Amino acid sequence: MLKTSSELVEELASRIRVRRLAMGLPQLEAAQRSGIAYRTWRRLETEGKASIEDLIKAAIALRCEEALEALFSAPSATSLDELLKRQAMTPNRTTAGPSRARGSRAKSS
């Protein structure tokens, strides 16, 4: 079921409040930990109004920053060709050990 932006804001504000309470944090302490103003924290929980930066700071203070990485991720590939094309465009993130040029080893006698 699709939700309106108002419904999503209300649910997110409620989840922030529930998470804070589950961690045993008063609003003032949560605001201090996040580095945002107390009034902004209150408005975030009650009205769901804050900047994206404040939302990220709140997520970090409530130890939810990993969930932010899932937002706006690339859609799944619809074909093998598309998947291979995406992989070719993505820089290799694996770190290999130091490469050795051929013949760089000293020969033992």
Side-chain angles (χ1 to χ4, degrees), residues 23 35 37 42 70 81 108:
M23 293 178 69
R42 280 192 353 227
D81 289 336
S108 17

Side-chain angles (χ1 to χ4, degrees), residues 59-98:
I60 292 168
L62 298 175
R63 299 182 186 135
C64 297
E65 65 273 13
E66 302 87 24
L68 294 173
E69 293 177 12
L71 290 173
F72 308 110
S73 59
S76 299
T78 56
S79 69
L80 182 56
D81 289 336
E82 185 180 344
L83 178 62
L84 293 172
K85 183 179 176 182
R86 285 185 190 180
Q87 287 176 344
M89 292 174 25
T90 305
N92 190 355
R93 293 185 182 179
T94 59
T95 54

